[in-house]
Every structure is written in C-alpha cells, then in structure tokens.
Amino acid sequence: MPKRDERHMASMRKQILTAAQIVFEKKGVHAATMSDVSTQAGLSVGSLYVHFRSKEEVLLQLIDSGVNGEPFDACATAGELLGLIEAILQALEAPGSASQAACTALEVAAIARRNAEVQAVVVRNFTRLRDAVLGAAARVASDGGTQDVQAIGEALMSLLLSAQAQMLIGVPSCNDAKLKAARMLITQLHGAPVRVKRYTAPLRPTGSD
C-alpha cells in the first residue's frame, strides 16, 4: 500500500478545519453536518472521514487549536503586555464580535458541560492560556514592582475572561474601565508608569474554548 504524503495529509486536515470553522459559525455546531463541511471544503464526504471520524472529532480539533497563548509568551516588556491586552479588549468589543461566532462559543461551553472529552480539551486550553498570562506577568515584573506577581497575573486573566464572557452574552463590556485596571496592575508589576507598545499582529481567540 503506498505511503501517504504527510504534508498533503496535513494540508487536507487544515482545509477541512478551516471549512468546519466557517460552517459552525454560519449554522451553529448542532445544525452543521459533515456534508455541509465537505461542501464548504470542496471535498467529498468520504474524504472528510479519511481524516476525521465524526463532526465531534472535527470540533475537538478546532477547540484544541483555538487557544492562543503565543502572544503572551512573546511579551518581554510591560509596554508589550499592556498593548496586547488593549488589542484583545478592542477585538472583543469590535462590531460583529457578538455574532454567530459567539453563539458557537456558547454551544461549545454547553457541550463541554456534558462531554468529558470536550471538557478535558477546554480545561487544557484554559491552563495553557493561564500559564502564558502568568508567565508574561512574571517576565515584566521588576524589583521595584509588587511582589505578588501571581495575584496580578490572575487578575489580568480575569479581566480578559470577563470581557469575553460579557461579549458572548451580549452585555456592555466596560472595556475602558478594564483597560484602566490592566494599566494599574501592570504599573504595579513594573514599578513605574508604563508606555503602551501597540500590538499590530493578527489575533486569534484567547478564550478557553
């Protein structure tokens, strides 16, 4: 039997996942079918099942690849950390954020409550993101700043999660106040006023799902 080209297989999986994300956001996870995904991807349904056993497996892969702690891993200064948090808050507040994509996130949260496998992935993603935020807080702390680095890191994580939760349920996020709170917290870490460094790279979702 001929050996499958790993690069081609990876490319096909990426094509399917991209299509699935579009379909889930248009129709919702519950209403979407593998046939919908195959049509969006321009592939046969049989081709999808070569790579994924079910819609649930596609969803799990999307959830697992959705977490994005990398920007926090790259933060080396207080200004970079503040700029990143500002960019995330602005992205959550942008028009269209509370759209079907938000509804999909709510569906995932509901699924996680009754599906142990999905719950495990969501918890793992939350842990990755939390570790990245706490790691960034530890890196930007200076000798002149507060000693309770972990508490401030947890507070920054809570700001981000509350902003996302408010976006998902469609209530005002009060992001100006959250940004002021983030500046105060990071100033405490740094031990001096912080000059924000604007974050310009594309952002992926930061939430646990």
Side-chain angles (χ1 to χ4, degrees):
M1 184 175 179
K3 194 173 182 179
R4 288 174 175 167
D5 186 302
E6 293 298 330
R7 286 179 297 180
H8 174 70
M9 295 289 284
S11 176
M12 292 286 285
R13 287 176 67 87
K14 183 177 180 181
Q15 182 178 340
I16 293 167
L17 290 171
T18 299
Q21 184 168 6
I22 293 169
V23 170
F24 289 166
E25 290 183 3
K26 282 182 179 177
K27 300 191 69 172
V29 176
H30 180 73
T33 66
M34 288 292 266
S35 179
D36 295 327
V37 176
S38 71
T39 299
Q40 180 67 41
L43 300 168
S44 69
V45 175
S47 295
L48 265 63
Y49 284 108
V50 170
H51 299 275
F52 298 98
R53 293 172 295 176
S54 64
K55 181 178 73 173
E56 288 70 25
E57 187 173 333
V58 174
L59 178 62
L60 276 171
Q61 184 62 49
L62 278 175
I63 297 169
D64 200 30
S65 62
V67 70
N68 192 19
E70 289 89 346
F72 289 98
D73 292 334
C75 286
T77 68
E80 288 174 352
L81 179 56
L82 182 59
L84 174 56
I85 291 174
E86 180 183 73
I88 292 170
L89 292 175
Q90 289 173 347
L92 289 172
E93 201 173 40
S97 290
S99 62
Q100 184 60 51
C103 294
T104 300
L106 287 174
E107 277 193 90
V108 170
I111 292 168
R113 298 294 295 176
R114 61 178 186 269
N115 184 309
E117 193 174 6
V118 174
Q119 177 72 8
V121 174
V122 170
V123 169
R124 185 166 69 244
N125 284 358
F126 174 84
T127 302
R128 288 177 189 166
L129 181 59
R130 176 179 175 273
D131 288 347
V133 173
L134 294 182
R139 284 193 302 279
V140 307
S142 70
D143 291 339
T146 181
Q147 297 302 307
D148 203 346
V149 175
Q150 182 169 351
I152 288 186
E154 294 284 7
L156 292 171
M157 182 71 177
S158 296
L159 282 176
L160 296 173
L161 292 176
S162 66
Q164 185 184 48
Q166 286 172 273
M167 180 272 289
L168 291 177
I169 62 176
V171 300
S173 57
C174 306
N175 279 349
D176 286 345
K178 286 182 174 61
L179 184 57
K180 287 180 182 178
R183 184 181 291 275
M184 290 171 55
L185 290 166
I186 294 172
T187 297
Q188 288 182 13
L189 279 176
H190 187 56
V194 178
R195 183 174 180 179
V196 65
K197 182 175 180 180
R198 303 295 174 192
Y199 187 85
T200 57
L203 283 170
R204 284 164 45 199
T206 60
S208 58
D209 54 339

